[in-house]
Amino acid sequence: MPEGYKVRDTSLASEGRASIEWAERHMPVLMELRRRFSGEKPLEGLRVAACLHVTKETAVLAEALRDWGAEVYLAPSNPLSTQDEVAAALATSGIHVYAWRGMSGSEYQWALETVASSRPHIVIDDGADLHVLLHGDLRDAASQVVGGTEETTTGVIRLRALEREGRLLYPVYAVNDALTKFMFDNRYGTGQSTVDGIMRAANILLAGKTVVVAGYGWVGRGIALRFRGMGARVIVTEVDPIRALEAVMDGFTVASMDEAARVGDVFVTATGNRNVVDERHLKAMKDGAILANAGHFNVEINVEALEGMSVSKRRVRRYLDEYVMPDGRRLYLAAEGRLVNLVAAEGHPSEVMDMSFSNQALAVLRLAREGKGMERKVHRIPREQDEMVARLKLETMGIKIDELTEEQKRYLQSWK
Ligand code: NAD
Ligand code: ADE
């Protein structure tokens, strides 16, 4: 069993603790659930392995699971997203965390292998790297897993592919697909934190800029909305005709990336797809264009092509690299093409992670109770869980809603 923890510097723990307490204040639903179940210890004797961005919000989830009796093992979901002070606070409060900002590819792999080798009963993931490891090289460590959860769209896509091939080893809850997750986290969380990340990386004026958003899914919609709110002219690119039409009727300009590449000042990818900004687009871009990615993996902008085309590269700001093209144009890549909102900023604000991680926590409780009897497939979060999270969130916001009367219920069920 892996022992202890590995973080950058445990002397950062008190800074991390203050930050976690700030998140707790803004995550009232998760804190209420944590309080409700702490007495009965529903996860006693269970090992939970998690691959999540190590942020103050993840800390609130990890400590809730610990309070419910679990032994928690935590690896990061990205080599650049760890908040070192938070990792330090977790390490000194009983969470087995193996994460530091700027870890190499092999250190990231080591962290995943370390948490997988805890022989977990429950696996929480954001992007499915841990699930995939437990279905491949570390398959033996999966024999006692009763179930897993998945936080993001790209991870759910990977798990559905495993299910289609009949290779899924345990049931998985698609937490991403809960209404109280994707409608809020993907849209408003990523919308706000992506603007935040680009501002911290580049600190440019957005008013009057042309911002190109690739993908008009839940993430792209939020990003387009928030950039418009900052006074930018937003162009959306899509491959899905219905979503493209939706973007048009939401008032955005829709164009192909070939057209948009020539006019954009800032490009943000949010598709979950690869090479959406490709070599030919990079060749067409204006001097000074800024490139950022909000999708899960760093494959959406063809960084390899950018590296290959450029005659020189230098870091001009903490999260901004300048690439000089043979014709003298300079292109700027934020956060090395990784999730800009988590690398250059702090990820989604706590209020929205409150709902995502309440869904994670409730899914873990369900798996602990029922996982053994569940089919090995990707499961939807039950509607009643979504409604419970939404009701609790409204309650904590002091918002009351109406209830159907008996007469209204009968009316809505009648064909007359
Ligand atoms: P989604 O499926 O709702 O939307 C993706 C959209 O991209 C779709 O409309 C699709 O048609 C479009 N698309 C695909 N290929 C394209 C291409 N070549 N050009 C233009 N459009 C294309 O998914 P989503 O929930 O919006 O998630 C998008 C990505 O963001 C995923 O990788 C997801 O895991 C990630 N994500 C990141 C964060 C974050 O914190 N940065 C948060 C949530 C989700
Ligand atoms: N994904 C996006 N924002 C996040 C956050 N604040 N914490 C953990 N995972 C996240």
Side-chain angles (χ1 to χ4, degrees):
M1 217 50 71
E3 279 304 312
Y5 54 79
K6 191 162 185 273
V7 299
R8 171 143 341 259
D9 179 0
T10 51
S11 75
L12 299 172
S14 65
E15 189 190 330
R17 182 53 54 194
S19 185
I20 295 169
E21 285 167 8
W22 178 254
E24 286 173 349
R25 269 197 74 127
H26 296 91
M27 300 178 82
V29 177
L30 183 55
M31 291 302 282
E32 167 61 16
L33 296 174
R34 179 171 170 180
R35 192 196 54 72
R36 268 188 207 175
F37 296 106
S38 285
E40 61 187 84
K41 302 255 179 263
L43 304 182
E44 193 76 70
L46 297 183
R47 289 183 296 279
V48 175
C51 166
L52 292 169
H53 301 290
V54 181
T55 63
K56 58 190 185 305
E57 292 76 24
T58 294
V60 180
L61 173 64
E63 295 192 333
L65 302 177
R66 178 205 59 197
D67 288 359
W68 294 351
E71 194 73 20
V72 181
Y73 295 82
L74 178 60
S77 169
N78 188 289
L80 289 186
S81 61
T82 297
Q83 296 168 2
D84 284 324
E85 68 287 1
V86 169
L90 287 176
T92 50
S93 67
I95 306 292
H96 304 282
V97 53
Y98 309 90
W100 57 95
R101 181 168 285 244
M103 55 202 321
S104 66
S106 57
E107 287 166 338
Y108 175 72
Q109 196 57 30
W110 166 84
L112 288 179
E113 285 167 11
T114 304
V115 302
S117 66
S118 69
R119 305 191 67 81
H121 299 96
I122 291 170
V123 181
I124 303 176
D125 210 341
D126 182 338
D129 279 351
L130 184 54
H131 289 308
V132 167
L133 185 64
L134 286 163
H135 283 76
D137 290 351
L138 289 194
R139 203 185 154 90
D140 287 352
S143 56
Q144 68 299 309
V145 175
V146 294
T149 67
E150 175 49 54
E151 172 76 4
T152 198
T153 316
T154 286
V156 171
I157 289 172
R158 296 174 83 188
L159 288 158
R160 291 223 163 93
L162 270 174
E163 180 190 337
R164 269 199 310 279
E165 290 177 17
R167 293 168 61 178
L168 199 57
L169 294 174
Y170 45 79
V172 180
Y173 272 119
V175 169
N176 179 73
D177 297 357
L179 299 170
T180 47
K181 198 281 184 182
F182 72 81
M183 285 176 64
F184 304 94
D185 170 312
N186 299 30
R187 181 167 40 173
Y188 303 119
T190 322
Q192 177 170 323
S193 59
T194 297
V195 173
D196 185 7
I198 291 172
M199 292 312 300
R200 293 197 207 191
N203 194 27
I204 48 157
L205 180 72
L206 293 174
K209 292 283 191 305
T210 299
V211 176
V212 179
V213 178
Y216 202 65
W218 289 97
V219 170
R221 287 181 184 114
I223 295 172
L225 185 70
R226 291 298 177 246
F227 272 110
R228 174 158 70 186
M230 297 294 284
R233 270 180 4 100
V234 177
I235 301 178
V236 168
T237 73
E238 250 298 343
V239 290
D240 178 331
I242 296 165
R243 288 191 162 175
L245 201 53
E246 187 187 359
V248 171
M249 300 224 179
D250 283 346
F252 296 105
T253 302
V254 173
S256 68
M257 185 56 87
D258 284 310
E259 294 169 303
R262 293 198 298 270
V263 293
D265 298 304
V266 179
F267 294 80
V268 191
T269 51
T271 68
N273 210 342
R274 61 186 300 121
N275 296 342
V276 174
V277 171
D278 214 346
E279 185 161 350
R280 70 175 193 281
H281 306 125
L282 297 169
K283 282 185 177 153
M285 282 176 190
K286 296 194 296 193
D287 178 35
I290 295 169
L291 310 167
N293 167 50
H296 186 77
F297 284 116
N298 55 336
V299 296
E300 305 209 10
I301 299 166
N302 189 342
V303 178
E304 217 177 279
L306 186 60
E307 297 271 349
M309 292 158 72
S310 61
V311 293
S312 68
K313 170 187 173 185
R314 65 175 177 141
R315 181 143 292 185
V316 289
R317 290 172 58 84
R318 188 155 177 222
Y319 293 115
L320 201 66
D321 292 328
E322 178 186 75
Y323 290 82
V324 181
M325 299 292 120
D327 59 7
R329 283 176 311 125
R330 285 158 299 166
L331 300 182
Y332 295 88
L333 179 66
E336 300 178 21
R338 295 186 187 272
L339 302 137
V340 71
N341 62 323
L342 279 141
V343 175
E346 296 170 61
H348 304 346
S350 308
E351 290 92 329
V352 84
M353 293 313 293
D354 190 21
M355 288 191 280
S356 310
F357 283 170
S358 292
N359 275 304
Q360 284 282 6
L362 289 167
V364 168
L365 284 184
R366 270 179 206 282
L367 289 169
R369 259 191 336 255
E370 302 157 13
K372 276 192 184 133
M374 285 170 64
E375 217 182 318
R376 291 174 183 189
K377 61 177 206 165
V378 178
H379 294 262
R380 290 203 164 277
I381 295 292
R383 174 81 192 188
E384 68 263 23
Q385 178 174 316
D386 247 335
E387 286 191 9
M388 175 190 176
V389 172
R391 280 188 193 286
L392 278 172
K393 190 71 182 173
L394 286 167
E395 236 171 71
T396 63
M397 295 166 89
I399 295 169
K400 290 195 172 57
I401 61 169
D402 289 327
E403 256 179 62
L404 288 172
T405 62
E406 288 309 315
E407 181 200 20
Q408 287 169 337
K409 281 185 198 163
R410 279 196 303 277
Y411 180 78
L412 291 174
Q413 279 165 9
S414 163
W415 57 269
K416 287 179 194 158

